[in-house]
Amino acid sequence: MVGDVRILPVAVLISGTGRTLRDLLKAVDEGRVPIDVRLVIASTPNASGLQYAEFMGIPAEVIERKDYDSSDAYSAAIYQRCKEIGAEYIIMAGFAIRLTIIPEFQNRVIGTHPALAPAFCGQGYFGRRVHEAVLEHGVKVTGCTVFFLDQEYNNGPVIIQKWIPVEPDDTVEKLEARVLKLETEALIEALQLLAENRIRVEGRRVRILPARPKQPTPA
């Protein structure tokens, strides 16, 4: 606890380079996000983000889907490890495999999507395919969504959304770069709100409570 802000113990799930993990750890060093990354779990030993986690001194391990008979069993193994290290929240940072959400972790698994949900969401919409679809449809704004995962793709309660205009000369690469930056900032903001205990989930709606007034410094 730092003042009125808790340090959130989290696990980060990756499948690739760990770009989001890098961004989060940089934000931790800069004092911009109050999290304690206790474990990194990768879905494949080929995830290069594992090496970065190890370089940063963070415990990292691989849990592969092929070693389990069902999605439920695979998810249970991940939850078990998260509970063992005391993680209160799980951050899906480019994790390519769907988790079954169990009651104990409802509204505790956080994901991001590089579009404004529910637009350009669902199975098949990931990575550059999202930005390709945005440009193909000719929409005027796009952005990112941070949400609590549920049992459907990109469908859980929305915590934060941020938007940017789609520029006339945008390419997939340009749009992807701008949305990625926005996505990181939105995730950091969501984690800060959780650490400040300012998020309330009411059905599908997430209510953001006002910030508590700062206490005057004693004379």
Side-chain angles (χ1 to χ4, degrees):
M1 182 83 70
V2 179
D4 292 331
V5 179
R6 293 192 307 131
I7 305 297
L8 300 177
V10 304
V12 178
L13 275 54
I14 66 172
S15 290
T17 63
R19 178 196 59 83
T20 300
L21 173 65
R22 291 171 185 261
D23 290 342
L24 286 175
L25 292 177
K26 180 181 179 183
V28 170
D29 287 343
E30 294 170 348
R32 295 194 297 126
V33 60
I35 61 173
D36 172 18
V37 180
R38 296 190 175 182
L39 178 66
V40 172
I41 297 175
S43 63
T44 169
N46 298 321
S48 57
L50 282 168
Q51 298 172 0
Y52 182 73
E54 292 169 358
F55 173 76
M56 296 299 292
I58 297 171
E61 58 192 66
V62 178
I63 302 179
E64 294 188 81
R65 174 65 178 86
K66 66 181 180 61
D67 294 330
Y68 297 87
D69 293 335
S70 67
S71 178
D72 288 353
Y74 179 66
S75 300
I78 290 176
Y79 290 130
Q80 182 59 37
R81 285 298 293 125
C82 291
K83 288 189 287 186
E84 288 171 357
I85 54 92
E88 293 183 18
Y89 291 92
I90 297 173
I91 300 171
M92 303 285 277
F95 195 68
I97 300 179
R98 187 176 173 186
L99 283 188
T100 301
I101 305 301
I102 61 175
E104 187 175 354
F105 274 85
Q106 185 175 12
N107 299 330
R108 290 173 59 192
V109 183
I110 302 166
T112 65
H113 185 67
L116 296 171
F120 308 109
C121 285
Q123 191 169 5
Y125 281 102
F126 59 90
R128 291 193 169 190
R129 173 57 191 145
V130 176
H131 307 300
E132 289 170 355
V134 165
L135 294 176
E136 288 168 2
H137 280 73
V139 298
K140 303 304 182 185
V141 297
T142 187
C144 65
T145 304
V146 182
F147 57 97
F148 291 117
L149 270 67
D150 65 7
Q151 303 298 3
E152 299 181 36
Y153 285 102
N154 312 131
N155 185 67
V158 172
I159 305 171
I160 287 175
Q161 289 183 306
K162 291 183 179 292
W163 69 276
I164 55 173
V166 178
E167 303 293 350
D169 64 343
D170 264 334
T171 62
V172 170
E173 292 76 17
K174 287 181 179 179
L175 200 57
E176 180 182 41
R178 287 162 53 221
V179 172
L180 279 173
K181 182 177 180 181
L182 198 69
E183 201 171 346
T184 297
E185 293 307 311
L187 177 57
I188 289 171
E189 185 176 331
L191 291 168
Q192 180 70 36
L193 290 170
L194 284 169
E196 294 175 0
N197 197 30
R198 291 176 55 198
I199 288 181
R200 296 290 181 273
V201 183
E202 301 170 349
R204 283 199 53 82
R205 294 188 176 185
V206 173
R207 188 159 64 97
I208 308 298
L209 304 181
R212 294 178 59 183
K214 292 184 178 180
Q215 298 298 318
T217 304

